[in-house]
């Protein structure tokens, strides 16, 4: 990992102290969805592709959520991903809903050097 990549991951992790954040890597790898809030230590909502919803806490997300240790607090079997996502919205409340569907783009916490074409981009 380069210094720039480390700074980018740390910016994403730090940003999750203030808003719910989706781990794009989980979705892109076809492993469902992972949403988290709290910085290096916090809470998470995980949805498996078949619809299992789990919620709990995580610790040690340094430099990113992929390094965290997760502790499940509750698991709910739903009838598919869509129903589990609906339950996630209910559990996360208004803050979750705003953070997931806000039109405001993610604001990086630092400026990156000249564009190399390899920057992290939000979706």
């Amino acid at each position: 990992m380069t210094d720039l990549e480390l700074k980018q991951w740390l910016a994403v992790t730090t940003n999750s102290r203030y808003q719910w954040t989706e781990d794009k890597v989980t979705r892109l790898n076809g492993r469902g969805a992972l949403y988290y809030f709290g910085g290096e230590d916090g809470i998470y909502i995980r949805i498996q592709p078949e619809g299992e919803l789990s919620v709990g806490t995580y610790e040690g997300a340094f430099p990113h959520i992929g390094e965290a240790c997760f502790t499940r607090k509750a698991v709910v079997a739903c009838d598919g991903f869509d129903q589990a996502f609906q339950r996630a919205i209910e559990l996360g409340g208004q803050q979750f809903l705003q953070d997931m569907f806000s039109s405001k783009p993610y604001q990086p916490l630092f400026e990156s050097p000249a564009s190399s074409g390899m920057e992290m981009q939000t979706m």
Side-chain angles (χ1 to χ4, degrees):
M1 178 179 299
T2 67
D3 286 343
L4 178 58
E5 290 169 333
L6 176 63
K7 287 179 183 178
Q8 290 173 324
W9 277 118
L10 290 174
V12 171
T13 300
T14 299
N15 191 55
S16 75
R17 289 183 192 161
Y18 310 106
Q19 69 180 35
W20 280 96
T21 303
E22 179 183 9
D23 178 42
K24 305 279 192 244
V25 174
T26 299
R27 185 180 296 276
L28 291 172
N29 285 333
R31 300 183 64 201
L34 172 62
Y35 309 98
Y36 59 101
F37 185 96
E40 288 186 36
D41 304 314
I43 58 175
Y44 76 91
I45 299 173
R46 175 84 193 253
I47 304 172
Q48 299 293 339
E50 69 279 353
E52 179 186 86
L53 172 73
S54 62
V55 296
T57 59
Y58 68 88
E59 296 178 342
F62 178 84
H64 56 77
I65 195 68
E67 303 298 326
C69 178
F70 295 88
T71 303
R72 283 179 155 192
K73 302 291 184 178
V75 178
V76 178
C78 298
D79 292 329
F81 186 92
D82 291 342
Q83 184 186 44
F85 186 71
Q86 183 176 352
R87 292 291 306 269
I89 291 171
E90 293 167 5
L91 290 170
Q94 183 177 353
Q95 181 72 41
F96 180 84
L97 191 60
Q98 284 178 300
D99 294 344
M100 290 299 103
F101 297 106
S102 173
S103 61
K104 75 174 182 174
Y106 166 72
Q107 298 295 316
L109 301 176
F110 67 96
E111 291 295 321
S112 62
S115 175
S116 66
M118 298 296 291
E119 295 84 15
M120 260 185 8
Q121 299 178 7
T122 58
M123 296 187 174

